[in-house]
Amino acid sequence: MLLAGALGARAQTMARVGLGWAKNNVNGAVFRKNSVVSLGRDQYVAYYDSLGYVTLAKRRLPAGPWQVRRTPYQGHVQDAHNVISLMVDGAGYLHLSFDHHNDPLRYCRSTAPGALTLGPLEAMTGQQEQKVSYPEFYRFPTGDLLFLYRDGGSGNGNLVLNRYAVKTRKWTRLHTVLLDGEGQRNAYWQACLDAQGTLHLAWVWRESPNVASNHDMAYARSRDGGRTWQKSTGEAYQLPITAATAEYAARIPPGSELINQTSITADAQGRPYIASYWRPQGTQVPQYQLLYLAGNSWQTSQVSQRTTPFSLSGAGTKKIPISRPQLLVANQRGQTAAYLLFRDAERQDRASVLSCANLAQSQWVAADLTTTPVGNWEPSYDTERWKKEQVLSLFVQRTGQGDGETLENLPPQPVGVLDWRPGQPVRPVALGLAARPTGPAPASPAATRPGGAPDPRPTATPEGYHLVWADEFNQPGRPDSTNWRFETGFVRNHEAQWYQPENAHCENGLLVLEARPASRPNPTYRPGSPDWRTSRPTITATSASLNTRGRHQWQYGRFELRARIPTAPGLWPAFWTLGVSKPWPSNGEIDIMEYYRGKILANVASGTAQLYTAKWHSETKPLRSFADPTWASKFHVWRMDWDAQAVRLYVDEELLNETPLSQAVNQDGSGFNPLHQPHYLLLNLALGGDNGGALAPTSLPARYEIDYVRVYQR
């Protein structure tokens, strides 16, 4: 009772353990069983440190200090499949399996109960241990362990089960092939042991290494420790289970963006609940889904209301804008409550939770558990503490992840355990800032860049804010593709330029968007076309436009740009945002910096009853109004302060525009306010068009030079 009261008073805490490898999601993958685990009042964590060594930590619950120990074992951390799975048996010995992706088994256990020192690598049964993937431990109420892994490759592997007896300290084989892909497919499973010791298993089938071939959601359970298996109706399975004999909780066709290895759990009565995501038929947007038994019938309920489409295809670990979910259920005040843990770019990649106080009503409310982004992290937690205390101990670390096993240039990030008792208020916590890249600090722009601002480059975080994202453009070459995507072609506003990636590059700590003259055929030209994009036979100028759509987006905060803008006739540089939902202008537009025809503009736009017609809140400031005649040759700071009440736009601390959000409701009768949704950032250098004016012969080439872009939130 003392523990519950203490945690309830704090509502939510974050305990930092150490620094971990973060260039991919090997520490943060959802299928870690487990990343955090407890026995009694002792809790343990495992992760790869900054050099890829398996590192263990231990604390006394509820909030003792962490003891941290690096082990002698090192993993191939460049492959995000090669996770560490951790369990503690009923006698207090740690069991560890790590560094697998179709590799020989790597398994060891602690030298003594409660010890952080590990013994030598050893076999379990010595059978089918050469092509191991996805090792997972589960603990029975008796203290014995279950070990699951895939034997074989993606598209043709089988599920193997071993059982460990605390009494004999030995492993025995339960099933060499429980889920049989018949040489044509393999199962990607999720499992749970409920409080009574019933083992629940759900899986999707995959026909090939391509993730797009995932299909269907199947189910089985075992009430005798994994020896025999039955369907939800009690009908016995003939083993092994195949695609033809499986019970299906949902039929989901290939190509539905169905993800694998998600979450299954059970309530106090042993009823199973499965969480996953896929794209419902007839839509383009994958949604989180809940599958559950209602009587003897499986039901599916959509949990999320996402608006951003994406596609799963190809092999390897994917860089996906949402995480795979974890699901918790609890009996609270006589009702079954559920909590779906996730990460979504639509919520600025924070660790988040969808809560439903009563599954009978299926009303879900989203909240953030962290104030800062967690990159490509997925949720994993202490299953044993949850069963015992209904307290969530969530492993949290900001991680990177390139597509198809490539890496992000992200330095080591803090590893922590976030504790929260569901049902208590959610008060999000910060993870700590990303470390700066190593190497010499860049020189002051004023000292190294012609025409740079005479003041030192500002670096301090504003009081009351946390830096949640930034790009300092310190790496020479192309802009960071994990932050930015390019527009191409003729895009908007009848502008003169053809956008292409080649016109953007980083040099000397600056992002440079360069407009250049050109003379080449328009590849989209169609004679007689009424469309201005395809009616032009020739490309006469090129430039660049970048945005963070699908990569980073934020709702509210302080947004800053430090840049030097070109001001010759016909040039139209901008730093602006667009909302993620609805077509323009009903999605909302905020022009933090816009320049053309001799004036700085600060604008806010929302929708009207007429399609593609905006309601504008605009303010302008002529260049000639600045007292400094050399103003245009210097770097300046543009800023937006955006909260639930207003948008305020500044240049060099001078307020240009303050627009109450109450004035931004779309005037189409929907009541939708586009400034109460996440927005993404855009940077571009346009030419001419509807507003830019005529280009002078001497206007090109031109450079829009950007020192940094930063986003802060409270």
Side-chain angles (χ1 to χ4, degrees):
M1 297 302 292
L2 178 61
L3 171 62
L7 186 60
R10 292 193 304 273
Q12 196 170 318
T13 63
M14 173 72 79
R16 177 168 165 166
V17 183
L19 286 175
W21 168 270
K23 294 182 185 296
N24 63 8
N25 200 33
V26 69
N27 276 336
V30 74
F31 48 84
R32 295 192 60 190
K33 298 291 189 302
N34 286 278
S35 54
V36 189
V37 69
S38 58
L39 178 70
R41 292 186 60 198
D42 291 326
Q43 188 176 64
Y44 304 87
V45 171
Y47 61 95
Y48 290 111
D49 71 6
S50 58
L51 297 178
Y53 283 93
V54 175
T55 302
L56 299 174
K58 175 183 178 180
R59 70 170 175 175
R60 197 75 164 162
L61 292 173
W66 288 101
Q67 308 169 43
V68 181
R69 185 182 184 93
R70 175 193 277 183
T71 76
Y73 297 118
Q74 197 169 16
H76 181 247
V77 292
Q78 290 79 11
D79 186 337
H81 293 84
N82 293 11
V83 302
I84 305 167
S85 287
L86 175 71
M87 183 51 75
V88 55
D89 67 30
Y93 285 88
L94 291 181
H95 296 251
L96 200 75
S97 188
F98 63 98
D99 200 31
H100 300 99
H101 192 196
N102 303 340
D103 297 303
L105 177 69
R106 303 192 77 187
Y107 161 73
C108 56
R109 44 189 158 179
S110 61
T111 56
L116 297 181
T117 53
L118 297 175
L121 297 178
E122 56 184 289
M124 285 188 175
T125 68
Q127 302 171 328
Q128 287 79 38
E129 294 181 354
Q130 295 305 304
K131 297 186 69 177
V132 175
S133 298
Y134 308 118
E136 296 185 356
F137 292 100
Y138 299 87
R139 189 171 75 216
F140 289 101
T142 61
D144 288 0
L145 303 184
L146 190 69
F147 186 67
L148 283 67
Y149 66 93
R150 187 184 75 194
D151 172 40
S154 178
N156 62 2
N158 300 309
L159 176 58
V160 178
L161 269 71
N162 294 338
R163 179 159 181 159
Y164 177 84
V166 170
K167 185 175 181 180
T168 64
R169 299 187 63 195
K170 293 185 181 300
W171 288 95
T172 57
R173 175 60 50 82
L174 288 178
H175 296 285
T176 297
V177 183
L178 176 62
L179 302 179
D180 187 359
E182 303 173 284
Q184 304 175 48
R185 62 188 62 88
N186 77 272
Y188 283 92
W189 71 87
Q190 51 263 9
C192 77
L193 269 168
D194 67 23
Q196 288 76 41
T198 297
L199 178 60
H200 301 268
L201 191 68
W203 66 95
V204 303
W205 294 108
R206 182 183 292 184
E207 300 298 312
S208 75
N210 190 338
V211 65
S213 68
N214 286 347
H215 63 91
D216 299 322
M217 184 69 73
Y219 172 80
R221 72 185 181 200
S222 174
R223 288 179 166 167
D224 60 1
R227 294 177 177 85
T228 65
W229 291 81
Q230 59 184 227
K231 300 179 180 180
S232 63
T233 59
E235 176 188 348
Y237 272 114
Q238 295 297 313
L239 302 181
I241 303 171
T242 67
T245 62
E247 173 188 1
Y248 289 98
R251 287 288 195 175
I252 307 162
S256 297
E257 324 305 345
L258 171 65
I259 194 60
N260 47 277
Q261 295 161 290
T262 56
S263 179
I264 185 171
T265 191
D267 62 19
Q269 290 73 42
R271 293 183 294 244
Y273 300 83
I274 304 167
S276 188
Y277 70 72
W278 66 84
R279 175 176 54 80
Q281 291 280 48
T283 72
Q284 297 300 312
V285 181
Q287 302 287 356
Y288 288 113
Q289 308 280 353
L290 176 68
L291 296 91
Y292 61 96
L293 278 172
N296 293 323
S297 175
W298 285 98
Q299 303 293 320
T300 300
S301 176
Q302 181 173 310
V303 172
S304 64
Q305 300 296 327
R306 302 188 64 258
T307 60
T308 308
F310 64 85
S311 178
L312 301 177
S313 63
T317 301
K318 308 300 295 177
K319 183 176 179 64
I320 306 173
I322 67 175
S323 73
R324 289 170 281 198
Q326 288 282 4
L327 183 67
L328 310 173
V329 296
N331 188 283
Q332 294 177 350
R333 295 181 289 277
Q335 299 172 339
T336 301
Y339 304 92
L340 186 140
L341 306 167
F342 70 103
R343 181 250 330 147
D344 191 340
E346 290 188 2
R347 298 191 69 85
Q348 298 79 56
D349 282 323
R350 298 172 177 135
S352 302
V353 59
L354 277 159
S355 301
C356 178
N358 182 2
L359 281 177
Q361 297 179 357
S362 193
Q363 295 180 352
W364 296 81
V365 178
D368 296 323
L369 296 170
T370 65
T371 61
T372 45
V374 289
N376 289 87
W377 164 94
E378 296 180 313
S380 62
Y381 67 101
D382 186 340
T383 55
E384 309 313 297
R385 191 180 188 195
W386 173 255
K387 291 176 190 175
K388 181 182 177 182
E389 303 176 23
Q390 301 280 276
V391 170
L392 172 67
S393 281
L394 185 68
F395 180 96
V396 183
Q397 182 196 10
R398 179 180 177 183
T399 67
Q401 180 61 57
D403 205 42
E405 303 311 333
T406 57
L407 304 178
E408 283 191 34
N409 188 24
L410 188 66
Q413 297 293 304
V415 168
V417 176
L418 185 154
D419 289 331
W420 174 54
R421 184 180 291 277
Q424 295 287 338
V426 177
R427 296 191 177 96
V429 296
L431 303 182
L433 300 182
R436 296 281 298 165
T438 57
S444 165
T448 62
R449 297 170 192 161
D455 297 323
R457 187 183 198 213
T459 58
T461 299
E463 185 175 354
Y465 285 87
H466 300 285
L467 180 66
V468 297
W469 179 84
D471 200 330
E472 307 288 334
F473 309 114
N474 289 329
Q475 189 68 32
R478 286 287 179 87
D480 187 348
S481 62
T482 65
N483 288 335
W484 304 98
R485 58 191 296 177
F486 289 99
E487 292 186 292
T488 59
F490 295 122
V491 178
R492 63 178 72 84
N493 300 326
H494 304 94
E495 293 160 0
Q497 79 289 333
W498 175 275
Y499 281 137
Q500 58 185 27
E502 293 86 348
N503 291 55
H505 67 279
C506 300
E507 63 177 39
N508 299 322
L510 297 175
L511 169 64
V512 179
L513 308 187
E514 188 168 10
R516 306 168 188 150
S519 179
R520 68 173 194 259
N522 175 6
T524 66
Y525 174 62
R526 297 199 311 269
S529 170
D531 187 337
W532 68 274
R533 298 172 181 84
T534 55
S535 64
R536 301 176 175 186
T538 306
I539 296 170
T540 60
T542 60
S543 189
S545 178
L546 298 78
N547 64 69
T548 67
R549 185 173 185 177
R551 287 162 169 74
H552 304 286
Q553 54 203 25
W554 306 267
Q555 183 175 350
Y556 311 140
R558 172 169 288 186
F559 299 67
E560 281 189 357
L561 166 84
R562 185 174 189 265
R564 179 165 55 193
I565 64 171
T567 59
L571 302 182
W572 186 357
F575 172 51
W576 49 305
T577 77
L578 288 173
V580 298
S581 178
K582 296 185 178 293
W584 187 90
S586 296
N587 59 340
E589 175 180 329
I590 307 171
D591 299 322
I592 306 172
M593 185 281 293
E594 195 174 19
Y595 169 86
Y596 53 76
R597 301 191 186 195
K599 58 191 177 187
I600 299 290
L601 298 96
N603 309 319
V604 176
S606 54
T608 65
Q610 186 174 350
L611 193 63
Y612 306 127
T613 301
K615 175 186 177 184
W616 290 98
H617 301 268
S618 298
E619 300 292 340
T620 63
K621 185 176 180 66
L623 282 189
R624 64 177 182 272
S625 67
F626 291 103
D628 182 359
T630 64
W631 189 95
S633 67
K634 297 178 179 178
F635 283 83
H636 301 276
V637 175
W638 282 267
R639 186 179 100 219
M640 171 174 68
D641 287 349
W642 173 28
D643 58 27
Q645 286 71 49
V647 166
R648 300 170 182 88
L649 305 176
Y650 302 79
V651 60
D652 294 334
E653 301 296 327
E654 178 183 353
L655 179 64
L656 301 181
N657 183 333
E658 180 172 2
T659 300
L661 264 57
S662 60
Q663 298 180 16
V665 177
N666 288 337
Q667 297 176 340
D668 56 6
S670 67
F672 183 79
N673 191 322
L675 301 190
H676 284 307
Q677 69 166 336
H679 280 223
Y680 60 92
L681 292 175
L682 302 95
L683 292 165
N684 68 289
L685 176 54
L687 310 176
D690 296 340
N691 291 327
L695 277 166
T698 58
S699 293
L700 299 182
R703 289 163 57 101
Y704 175 16
E705 298 176 331
I706 299 154
D707 187 10
Y708 62 74
V709 179
R710 297 172 182 165
V711 180
Y712 305 88
Q713 291 182 320
R714 294 189 184 276

